[in-house]
Amino acid sequence: MSVTGGQKPAVRVQANPKSLAALGLSMDDLRTAISNGNVSLAKGSFDGPTRASTIDANDQLKSEEDYRNLIVGWKSGAPIRVRDVADVVNDAENSRLAAWVNSAPGIVVNVQRQRRQRDRDRRSDQDPAATTGIGLPAAVELTVLTDRTVTIRASVADVEFELLLAVALVVLVIFCFLRSVPATVIPSLAVPLSLVGTFGVMYLAGFSINNLSLMALRSPPASWSTTRS
């Protein structure tokens, strides 16, 4: 499963080059001040004869106001803070990455099948939105954008129908040409039994029944009808 389009909240600092130049600062001074004031490192340790303890404090800046009050430098004994040389706003971590669903912002969750798992294993009467939406807040609306199992199930159903139709046509053609019921009964039993045997071999070999295997099974009835006729 992969998640795309999610915008993580972040605090963005938009520097003003003119204000920095007027106060004798550079962009690198602003970057260094933000980096040094937003760290999470151990402050020291206590070492004893039987126990040692580490002093830890989290200096990470979390709010917009914390960044505004951060000191960048000093001039004439007065502190120069970030708010004096930059605009601090709450925004997304990556403003160029987003997802929309019907003109509304959203998050796209791509769910892929696991290895050795078939797309048709999910029940046809099961609504993905009804099951995966359990536990979500009431304000969050879950919508299924695409579902590959619908087209896969429809294509497999078409192939199954064509396979049964091909068997029926083989038996009908043989009966029309031979005009003999005993001669028609033999291929009418041989064709389904050969298909059952083929499925048995596929099962023992570990093969799955998919569109390619079903389409491959549609060609033998035509050759059987030609041979028998």
Side-chain angles (χ1 to χ4, degrees), residues 5-71:
Q7 290 185 324
K8 297 181 180 179
V11 178
R12 302 182 72 88
V13 179
Q14 302 171 351
N16 189 341
K18 294 183 179 180
S19 300
L20 287 171
L23 296 174
L25 299 174
S26 63
M27 296 287 291
D28 189 65
D29 295 332
L30 180 60
R31 181 192 63 81
T32 303
I34 295 175
S35 300
N36 295 336
N38 193 18
V39 295
S40 179
L41 298 174
K43 306 304 179 183
S45 61
F46 291 111
D47 295 329
T50 59
R51 180 180 300 178
S53 301
T54 302
I55 303 175
D56 193 10
N58 189 357
D59 295 334
Q60 184 177 4
L61 304 178
K62 298 181 179 179
S63 65
E64 178 183 351
E65 192 64 24
D66 293 339
Y67 280 91
R68 283 199 180 102
N69 296 326
L70 186 65
I71 297 177

Side-chain angles (χ1 to χ4, degrees), residues 126-229:
Q126 188 178 36
D127 186 7
T131 55
T132 56
I134 299 176
L136 292 178
V140 178
E141 180 181 356
L142 186 64
T143 305
V144 178
L145 297 179
T146 58
D147 188 2
R148 290 188 59 227
T149 60
V150 176
T151 57
I152 293 176
R153 192 178 296 108
S155 60
V156 171
D158 290 340
V159 174
E160 292 175 350
F161 172 76
E162 293 179 4
L163 183 61
L164 295 176
L165 182 61
V167 174
L169 290 177
V170 168
V171 176
L172 181 61
V173 169
I174 293 176
F175 177 76
C176 293
F177 278 90
L178 298 181
R179 301 294 181 131
S180 174
V181 175
T184 307
V185 172
I186 296 175
S188 64
L189 296 177
V191 172
L193 290 177
S194 62
L195 292 176
V196 172
T198 303
F199 288 136
V201 174
M202 292 175 60
Y203 176 77
L204 295 177
F207 298 149
S208 61
I209 299 177
N210 48 35
N211 286 338
L212 294 178
S213 59
L214 290 177
M215 285 191 297
L217 291 173
R218 288 190 304 170
S219 57
S223 61
W224 291 333
S225 63
T226 304
T227 303
R228 299 296 299 182
S229 59

Side-chain angles (χ1 to χ4, degrees), residues 70-163:
L70 186 65
I71 297 177
V72 181
W74 297 82
K75 185 175 183 180
S76 301
I80 302 175
R81 303 184 184 275
V82 173
R83 63 170 177 261
D84 300 327
V85 295
D87 295 330
V88 183
V89 295
N90 288 320
D91 202 350
E93 182 179 349
N94 188 353
S95 59
R96 295 176 176 83
L97 177 63
W100 286 268
V101 181
N102 297 328
S103 70
I107 299 176
V108 179
V109 180
N110 300 314
V111 181
Q112 293 89 15
R113 64 180 178 87
Q114 296 180 354
R115 188 179 180 183
R116 298 184 182 277
Q117 188 75 13
R118 294 181 300 176
D119 293 328
R120 296 189 65 200
D121 287 344
R122 186 178 62 82
R123 290 172 51 189
S124 59
D125 58 346
Q126 188 178 36
D127 186 7
T131 55
T132 56
I134 299 176
L136 292 178
V140 178
E141 180 181 356
L142 186 64
T143 305
V144 178
L145 297 179
T146 58
D147 188 2
R148 290 188 59 227
T149 60
V150 176
T151 57
I152 293 176
R153 192 178 296 108
S155 60
V156 171
D158 290 340
V159 174
E160 292 175 350
F161 172 76
E162 293 179 4
L163 183 61

